[in-house]
Amino acid sequence: MDKFVIKGGYRLTGEVEISGAKNAGLPLMSACLLTDKECVLEGIPNLKDIETMGKLLTSFGSEIERDKKGNLKIKTVKIKNHEAPYDLVRTMRASVLALGPLVARDGVAKISMPGGCAIGDRPINLHINALKKMGAKIEQSHGYIIATAKRLKGAKIYFDTQTVTGTENIIMAGVLAKGETIIENAAKEPEVVDLVNFLKKMGAKIEGEGTSVIRIEGVDSLGSACHRVIPDRIEAGTYIIATAATCGNVLIKNCEMDHLDALEQKLVEAGVTIQREKNGVRVIGKREIKSVDITTMPYPGFPTDLQAQFMAFMTIAKGLSVIRETIFENRFIHVSELKRMGADITIKDRNAIVKGVEGLNGAPVMVSDLRAGAALVIAGLIAEGETEVLRIYHLDRGYEAMEKKLSKLGAKIKRLKE
Ligand code: EPU
């Protein structure tokens, strides 16, 4: 296992290029299962989760090739196997994104039930109930969900809770269903919109993406398409927060700041300068940071995937910051690690009350999940002395070349064997 060793106290300066979005790339790859024609996806990052999704598609019978330009070419002439095994699903919950496309194309899918995960229970009941409404027969046996249908039928689906991959799965199920599917209380995340843009290029008929009501008129088949994935707003947000926290000055390139409105407003409130420039977004940190409160919400609210990183930043702000997590019940595991570095944080129900301290000090810390890991890296960058960040395989799932990008910005960070 690898670890990061970070010597803190250096300002980030220079330029950083943001990669394509992991959470858009994963549904785009699974959408390729909906056609027997070749699709080309540009800008898909080199990440462990993308590799896992590649393995999953290959196991279904897809041919996948990364060409010299880095584009992914995916072709699934025939689906030879309809089972997503536990071994893959347990390493990546997003494997559940195969459910919609497999049932839609061939009327059968057998997907291992994802278990709990570090950030919460994360059930998939909403995906399942929606597929049932579309006429799928669902059985659960030996840890697997088995969905079968002759041809899915359009249906009116209301999601009790906004679910990102649930919305994506049902959109992918609806594009080949008979008749109209209407999703109410749909997720509005930019990754959902990106998926719809790709599906439309393949010939799907969809309206309302980016709003809470999405209408899909099923078609008989989809064709080939080429699509460039959107920039990763969470990776961008992580570098923006890291710059602010180290009082740095960085130009963030390939960054869609419109996808980060909530973060921008909170950072400006805290005293950070954010300027849109021709080639990207410039972030200029300030020594004296004001504490601000955040509440995580579905898009366009403050993203839960940036909560931990923002908390690391607030540990050295002036005053009290209340950080409320409303999406996942257990997404405060980073708190005890931040406290080991000298942070003053108290958890009360779903709130973390962060009292700003003069500074953090380096310590060995352990990563529990992807975004908690990003928060600990940020804490390591601001801390005095050396921080060892253990179990960084979580970070490799979602941050492309993180230590290289940070080193280029002047951070003292090394990847070593644990
Ligand atoms: N939920 C249910 N039942 C369901 C589905 C969801 O109760 O059937 C609940 C969840 O337990 C949670 C809420 O609904 O409380 C929202 O979960 P959602 O389904 O939106 O999460 P997800 O689709 O599993 C995606 C991202 C996550 C991100 C969340 C929230 C992907 C591959 N994953 O997960 O990303 O945190 O949306 O924005 O898109 C990450 O990248 O680190 C990550 C965890």
Side-chain angles (χ1 to χ4, degrees):
M1 266 195 280
D2 289 354
K3 65 177 177 187
F4 282 153
V5 177
I6 304 171
K7 194 164 166 236
Y10 295 86
R11 294 174 64 221
L12 298 186
T13 55
E15 294 180 2
V16 65
E17 177 93 20
I18 298 307
S19 303
K22 165 180 87 78
N23 287 349
L26 295 171
L28 291 176
M29 287 173 76
S30 52
C32 294
L33 289 170
L34 290 161
T35 176
D36 57 0
K37 305 286 183 307
E38 181 177 273
C39 291
V40 181
L41 299 175
E42 297 175 357
I44 302 289
N46 254 317
L47 294 170
K48 195 77 197 152
D49 272 9
I50 297 292
E51 194 188 307
T52 307
M53 184 57 94
K55 275 191 196 157
L56 192 62
L57 295 192
T58 309
S59 79
F60 296 146
S62 307
E63 284 169 37
I64 307 183
E65 184 200 323
R66 215 185 247 275
D67 70 11
K68 284 193 188 115
K69 289 186 200 149
N71 299 335
L72 272 192
K73 293 183 173 166
I74 303 180
K75 190 174 181 181
T76 318
V77 178
K78 193 172 177 308
I79 298 175
K80 296 174 188 146
N81 164 44
H82 297 82
E83 179 178 326
Y86 179 60
D87 263 2
L88 290 177
V89 178
R90 80 186 159 88
T91 59
M92 188 186 68
R93 301 179 54 84
S95 309
V96 76
L97 283 166
L99 184 59
L102 291 183
V103 196
R105 179 158 161 189
D106 278 358
V108 55
K110 184 174 173 192
I111 311 279
S112 172
M113 289 271 288
C117 98
I119 61 176
D121 184 25
R122 303 185 72 183
I124 55 163
N125 58 313
L126 300 172
H127 306 225
I128 302 292
N129 291 345
L131 282 176
K132 273 189 195 160
K133 274 196 126 180
M134 296 175 80
K137 197 172 135 232
I138 308 277
E139 284 169 74
Q140 198 185 326
S141 151
H142 301 288
Y144 279 81
I145 292 282
I146 303 149
T148 45
K150 267 217 175 86
R151 184 181 176 187
L152 292 172
K153 335 186 271 295
K156 195 166 184 174
I157 312 254
Y158 167 76
F159 282 131
D160 287 325
T161 306
Q162 277 183 29
T163 159
V164 177
T165 49
T167 301
E168 291 164 348
N169 239 338
I170 300 312
I171 292 173
M172 291 190 279
V175 287
L176 291 181
K178 192 170 168 48
E180 189 184 40
T181 301
I182 302 173
I183 307 176
E184 290 179 342
N185 200 24
K188 301 193 271 283
E189 270 67 4
E191 292 77 15
V192 174
V193 176
D194 201 38
L195 170 67
V196 170
N197 287 338
F198 176 52
L199 290 168
K200 282 182 176 173
K201 288 182 192 168
M202 293 170 79
K205 293 190 177 147
I206 308 170
E207 278 174 16
E209 66 278 11
T211 77
S212 54
V213 182
I214 300 180
R215 286 171 189 273
I216 306 144
E217 185 63 46
V219 295
D220 289 335
S221 65
L222 295 175
S224 73
C226 176
H227 186 75
R228 172 161 283 275
V229 66
I230 54 170
D232 196 312
R233 65 191 167 102
I234 305 302
E235 190 200 15
T238 301
Y239 284 99
I240 290 172
I241 296 170
T243 304
T246 60
C247 197
N249 182 333
V250 172
L251 183 70
I252 317 273
K253 293 166 98 175
N254 191 34
C255 169
E256 191 53 81
M257 204 59 204
D258 291 347
H259 293 167
L260 285 165
D261 263 349
L263 174 68
E264 179 173 2
Q265 293 192 32
K266 291 295 172 180
L267 287 173
V268 170
E269 255 182 70
V272 179
T273 302
I274 303 214
Q275 292 163 358
R276 284 163 172 78
E277 294 185 2
K278 212 171 105 210
N279 294 324
V281 176
R282 181 165 300 280
V283 182
I284 307 170
K286 209 173 163 192
R287 220 155 264 295
E288 190 82 337
I289 305 155
K290 271 187 261 157
S291 284
V292 292
D293 300 340
I294 59 162
T295 299
T296 63
M297 296 283 243
Y299 188 83
F302 194 98
T304 173
D305 288 346
L306 286 174
Q307 176 257 108
Q309 299 90 314
F310 199 84
M311 188 186 299
F313 177 41
M314 285 296 106
T315 60
I316 51 158
K318 212 173 164 51
L320 268 191
S321 159
V322 179
I323 296 188
R324 185 166 173 76
E325 172 60 53
T326 73
I327 309 290
F328 294 112
E329 68 274 18
N330 200 22
R331 216 175 194 179
F332 281 146
I333 306 180
H334 44 281
V335 168
S336 40
E337 302 300 299
L338 290 172
K339 281 166 84 169
R340 300 189 61 248
M341 298 177 71
D344 182 344
I345 309 171
T346 315
I347 298 178
K348 271 206 181 123
D349 306 321
R350 290 201 153 195
N351 301 317
I353 298 142
V354 187
K355 192 169 165 210
V357 292
E358 281 298 311
L360 300 180
N361 39 78
V365 285
M366 187 118 83
V367 177
S368 54
D369 69 87
L370 174 57
R371 309 304 173 186
L376 296 177
V377 168
I378 293 173
L381 294 174
I382 50 186
E384 194 202 317
E386 196 173 272
T387 296
E388 263 188 314
V389 184
L390 306 172
R391 301 205 176 165
I392 56 167
Y393 59 86
H394 289 288
L395 283 160
D396 293 333
R397 293 183 44 206
Y399 288 93
E400 193 173 42
M402 190 179 213
E403 73 276 25
K404 293 199 182 94
K405 290 187 186 186
L406 284 171
S407 296
K408 225 182 119 208
L409 292 174
K412 304 284 175 254
I413 177 167
K414 273 191 278 184
R415 178 187 286 262
L416 298 174
K417 291 268 169 261
E418 264 187 30

